[in-house]
Amino acid sequence: MSTNIHHKIESPKDRQNRHKAMEAIKLINTIKEDFKFPIKSMEYFYDLFERVYCKNEPLHGDKVKVGTMCIQIPSEIIYALDGVPIRLCNGFYTDDEIGSDLLPQKACPLVKATVGHFASGNFSDKPDIVFSPTTCDQKTKAGAIIEKFGHEVIDVDFPRTKESEASREFFRKSIREFTSKLSKFQGKKLSRKNLKDSISKIGYAQSLYHKLTTYRQSDIVPILGIDVFLITNAFFFDKIDNWIDAMEALLEELEVRSKEKIHVAGKISPRIVYTGSPPIFPNYKIPQIIEQSDAIIVADETCSSNRMFNDMVAVDEWLVNDMLDSISDKYLKACTCPIFTKNDDRIRRIIHLAKQYKADGVIYQAFAGCTVYEMEQRSVLEAMEKAGIPILYIESDYSPSQHGQLSTRVEAFIESLKTRRRNKK
């Protein structure tokens, strides 16, 4: 007996793509459907993530794609040398599971997911070269593991202190070496004009982000925090000109919504500053729980959003070496990453954000295994208590199974903030 029915056996790559598409579309649909007053111009970002993570559409064609393992690799220099920066931080549980077979079980899920992605070799925009700053221990070691999968990975030395003149000079030299290696890889010389243009373009993108934050400082907040994370995560891989166009359209719409007093939260919804391990698409588990629990994230102190856009390059002399020094100063001095031995700047910034954005409390997330955030939580909690700012510390991972327990803790904290607000009246 013959049959014309043929069953296609799903390959590991197809299965990985299917699972990642399911993770991506589940989050996108939740944002689009579960929250009131959707923003029309956010459709660009929803569509972008769907194209890249559900349809595996490459964005950058023949351009040289420069992979970066962390925020400390300057995009200004990559663009000036005609490359496209692709930040490789990964938020997929599917890739986390692949990476779990290669790294210790207690390793950071973000690092495991990044390594798992490289182990699969399944990219829509595969990086041609990877630069790995020696920031946290796990990312530093991950670079060496990724190299064994056939990728060219170059370490960029990063100091663990930032107060001294020696560390400043150390990182300036490191950035010049990075520039030289990328220039050699590209076969192009860094020109004064290209670097100046690149600094200006990224500075303009940052100014758009700053304008976005002004709407979040208002009593009437026209945009969800989870939407803002989506916007800033898009900057990891999107074409910068498209991102800028989409931001300009978004800001025009927010201006209208602000005049019409469209508030995406409730009248007594607590205002939250979010800090700790970064929300990376599609792992928005904690931000999603916060905003589904009737609170609104009005600001954040993370490397996937505020820390990436907050500080701008300040140039005194528009000469190549002066510009490189100014870039390295911005990427070192303004950084509040917990990898530094002392990190009072981070505490000051969280308190400043809480006051500037009139926040009712702070939620501090640390990925289980992200030791620097775990170790720094005690000093941050003590500082918030001293400043009279309520704070909730939670540990999480990429697993979907924690949702119920985390929701209970976040909801209880938000209810306590509501009670606190009522008692003040």
Side-chain angles (χ1 to χ4, degrees):
M1 181 177 175
S2 65
T3 175
N4 292 323
I5 298 175
H6 298 283
H7 295 285
K8 182 184 175 185
I9 298 175
E10 189 176 50
S11 69
K13 179 180 175 181
D14 290 338
R15 184 165 58 250
Q16 182 189 14
N17 287 339
R18 179 169 57 82
H19 286 181
K20 290 175 73 170
M22 288 166 62
E23 287 186 62
I25 201 65
K26 181 180 179 184
L27 175 66
I28 293 169
N29 286 342
T30 297
I31 299 173
K32 291 167 73 171
E33 297 169 5
D34 284 12
F35 296 97
K36 60 184 180 180
F37 307 125
I39 301 173
K40 186 179 178 183
S41 48
M42 278 303 299
E43 286 295 331
Y44 169 81
F45 296 99
Y46 303 147
D47 180 63
L48 174 70
F49 280 89
E50 193 170 336
R51 283 163 48 209
V52 172
Y53 292 113
C54 299
K55 300 173 183 174
N56 301 304
E57 181 180 318
L59 297 181
H60 300 293
D62 295 332
K63 298 287 286 185
V64 172
K65 291 162 278 287
V66 180
T68 64
M69 293 286 284
C70 199
I71 194 175
Q72 264 71 31
I73 299 297
S75 298
E76 292 88 345
I77 297 170
I78 297 174
Y79 281 122
L81 285 168
D82 200 26
V84 176
I86 306 283
R87 186 166 161 190
L88 300 165
C89 296
N90 188 306
F92 281 90
Y93 181 56
T94 301
D95 291 335
D96 174 22
E97 288 192 301
I98 297 171
S100 294
D101 292 335
L102 302 164
L103 297 180
Q105 193 60 39
K106 292 182 178 178
C108 169
L110 189 156
V111 176
K112 285 192 289 185
T114 303
V115 170
H117 192 193
F118 274 94
S120 71
N122 188 5
F123 290 91
S124 56
D125 272 311
K126 185 179 178 182
D128 298 291
I129 188 171
V130 176
F131 286 92
S132 175
T134 56
T135 49
C136 72
D137 289 346
Q138 294 187 44
K139 282 200 172 182
T140 301
K141 297 299 288 184
I145 296 170
I146 287 168
E147 194 169 33
K148 293 180 179 175
F149 300 138
H151 295 269
E152 183 172 0
V153 180
I154 298 177
D155 291 330
V156 177
D157 290 330
F158 192 77
R160 293 294 178 91
T161 62
K162 64 175 185 176
E163 290 80 11
S164 69
E165 189 62 23
S167 63
R168 185 186 190 194
E169 286 303 318
F170 177 91
F171 193 55
R172 284 182 169 189
K173 182 181 177 185
S174 187
I175 287 299
R176 288 179 192 178
E177 288 177 355
F178 154 71
T179 306
S180 174
K181 288 172 182 173
L182 181 58
S183 178
K184 185 177 179 182
F185 181 81
Q186 288 284 68
K188 295 180 179 178
K189 187 178 178 182
L190 185 65
S191 74
R192 177 181 170 181
K193 180 181 183 305
N194 286 355
L195 187 55
K196 184 178 180 181
D197 289 348
S198 177
I199 291 172
S200 298
K201 180 170 283 190
I202 291 186
Y204 179 63
Q206 288 178 284
S207 74
L208 297 176
Y209 171 80
H210 291 164
K211 190 170 182 182
L212 170 64
T213 64
T214 61
Y215 292 107
R216 306 175 79 194
Q217 293 172 27
S218 169
D219 292 336
I220 305 294
V221 184
I223 184 168
L224 291 166
I226 202 168
D227 271 339
V228 175
F229 283 129
L230 205 67
I231 292 165
T232 54
N233 278 197
F235 197 76
F236 289 8
F237 59 86
D238 195 11
K239 293 178 180 177
I240 187 169
D241 290 330
N242 291 357
W243 189 92
I244 285 173
D245 290 344
M247 276 293 284
E248 288 175 337
L250 173 71
L251 291 171
E252 285 181 12
E253 186 174 351
L254 290 184
E255 178 65 23
V256 174
R257 288 166 69 92
S258 183
K259 288 177 179 173
E260 293 175 352
K261 299 190 182 305
I262 296 176
H263 187 40
V264 293
K267 287 183 179 178
I268 61 166
S269 298
R271 301 165 66 91
I272 301 294
V273 170
Y274 187 98
T275 188
S277 301
I280 305 288
F281 182 89
N283 179 46
Y284 289 178
K285 182 163 46 179
I286 304 302
Q288 188 179 337
I289 290 172
I290 292 170
E291 298 202 319
Q292 285 177 330
S293 303
D294 195 26
I296 175 84
I297 298 171
V298 290
D300 75 278
E301 190 284 316
T302 68
C303 64
S304 64
S305 188
N306 178 285
R307 205 181 296 160
M308 187 166 64
F309 286 100
N310 192 56
D311 298 281
M312 302 171 80
V313 175
V315 180
D316 292 326
E317 298 286 343
W318 293 97
L319 302 173
V320 170
N321 283 338
D322 290 310
M323 285 189 273
L324 289 178
D325 286 348
S326 299
I327 289 170
S328 66
D329 286 352
K330 178 259 181 180
Y331 278 82
L332 176 66
K333 292 291 184 182
C335 181
T336 53
C337 180
I339 56 104
F340 293 118
T341 54
K342 296 176 183 176
N343 202 17
D344 292 341
D345 279 355
R346 179 164 174 244
I347 290 172
R348 280 194 287 269
R349 182 167 292 178
I350 296 170
I351 292 174
H352 173 73
L353 288 171
K355 292 179 179 176
Q356 186 179 18
Y357 289 77
K358 295 170 281 188
D360 297 288
V362 174
I363 292 184
Y364 183 143
Q365 174 196 223
F367 291 147
C370 182
T371 51
V372 287
Y373 275 115
E374 290 173 329
M375 291 183 71
E376 203 165 273
Q377 57 100 1
R378 184 175 295 276
S379 62
V380 173
L381 264 60
E382 288 174 353
M384 294 306 118
E385 185 178 352
K386 190 175 178 182
I389 301 171
I391 182 168
L392 173 67
Y393 172 73
I394 46 180
E395 288 187 8
S396 73
D397 56 26
Y398 283 9
S399 165
S401 63
Q402 281 186 315
H403 195 276
Q405 183 186 7
L406 291 170
S407 293
T408 301
R409 292 194 61 202
V410 171
E411 287 169 7
F413 179 66
I414 289 170
E415 283 305 313
S416 73
L417 295 180
K418 287 181 179 177
T419 302
R420 194 169 183 262
R421 180 180 272 196
R422 289 190 195 98
N423 291 340
K424 279 185 176 178
K425 289 182 179 178

